[in-house]
Each structure stands twice: as structure tokens, then as C-alpha cells.
Amino acid sequence: MSLEQTLRDSRWKKRVLLVAAPTAEHADFKTQKALLAANATELAERDFLVVDAVLDQLSAADKQFLLKKIGVQAGQFSAVLIGKDGGVKEKSRRPIAPADLLGRWIRCRCGSRRCGGSSAELAKRGNLTPQPPLQKRGGAMDAQISRMS
């Protein structure tokens, strides 16, 4: 599947971290892959898909898409964070720490993970609330919750 098709298929389903490098032996590429491997479970819980884009292994069409549409520069490492809406949220020429990725998507007041942005941005919008553990409730509350589902 082409890189463009992978991103299109991920829209509204996954957040994509596109890890681009000229070769798989690039030092920053190796560093980014090691950081991500150590946090694979947490990334999966937040709907992240990691896509490797090693330029010397891509088709001509994928290289063109990566360079022209995504804006990656040939010969350099890039980590590109693409949101569920398909928009580029962040580009970095250095590996991105998983904590920085995971901190962007935290639960908002509505209880979903749909709200993006940094903790500071969410706090400004008033969307940060502590998430208490789920508790079993009985009676009318259960009936009301089941009607909402």
C-alpha cells in the first residue's frame, strides 16, 4: 500500500507518527525507533500508528508524496505527527520523546480522547479534569447510562 493510501486509510481512526530518514541506519531513525519500541503499549492505547518512511526503500511515488505533500527534506531525519483529521500537527528534525506524544492526547471533560493539544492548551480551554476510576452504580443511574449508550 502506498504511503498516501496508508495515511488516507488512517484518517479518523489513527494518529500517525511518520518516521522519515534517508536510510534505516540513520542515527536519529534508530533512536526514534528505540524510544517508540519502549512505549509501544501506551502508543497503541492512544491510537498511534508508526509508519517508517526510509527514503532509500520507498517507491518514486512515495518519495514524491513525502517530499512535496508532507514537506520532509531529503537527506534529513524527520518525525511528523499527523492527527486523526489528517492534518500535520508537528514536524521535528530530532526524535520525539514518547512522553511528548502521549501528553498531547489526554482525556478531556467529555471523557473521550478526541481532544488534542498540549496540557497547557487543554487547561486554557477548561477541558482538563481528573479522571476518577469507574465505579459501579446502581438503580436509576444504571438505567440512565444505558439509555445514553
Side-chain angles (χ1 to χ4, degrees):
M1 185 181 314
S2 74
L3 186 55
E4 185 174 10
Q5 184 65 43
T6 299
L7 295 178
R8 191 176 305 128
D9 289 351
S10 298
R11 194 167 184 180
W12 302 117
K13 297 174 191 162
K14 298 281 184 183
R15 294 174 183 90
V16 177
L17 180 63
L18 190 62
V19 183
T23 69
E25 298 305 313
H26 192 280
D28 285 338
F29 182 80
K30 287 181 172 184
T31 299
Q32 184 71 77
K33 295 299 289 176
L35 289 169
L36 296 172
N39 293 276
T41 302
E42 293 88 354
L43 290 165
E45 287 173 353
R46 297 241 173 59
D47 299 328
F48 274 91
L49 171 66
V50 177
V51 176
D52 295 342
V54 180
L55 288 170
D56 68 356
Q57 298 173 9
L58 294 177
S59 69
D62 281 346
K63 282 183 194 176
Q64 183 77 358
F65 175 77
L66 190 64
L67 299 174
K68 299 289 184 193
K69 298 283 185 178
I70 304 297
V72 170
Q73 295 194 3
Q76 293 184 355
F77 170 86
S78 290
V80 182
L81 180 58
I82 301 169
K84 285 186 177 182
D85 64 357
V88 173
K89 305 302 180 191
E90 182 178 343
K91 285 185 189 177
S92 176
R93 292 191 183 171
R94 307 289 311 161
I96 300 174
D100 292 339
L101 293 171
L102 297 170
R104 289 181 62 100
W105 280 277
I106 58 178
R107 289 194 182 274
C108 73
R109 182 173 294 153
C110 68
S112 74
R113 290 186 179 145
R114 287 179 281 175
C115 297
S118 68
S119 297
E121 290 168 339
L122 290 172
K124 283 181 197 173
R125 294 192 315 240
N127 287 354
L128 281 179
T129 57
Q131 295 296 311
L134 294 176
Q135 298 176 4
K136 179 151 176 72
R137 295 185 173 106
M141 182 61 88
D142 279 346
Q144 184 179 13
I145 290 170
S146 65
R147 281 194 299 261
M148 293 169 59
S149 301

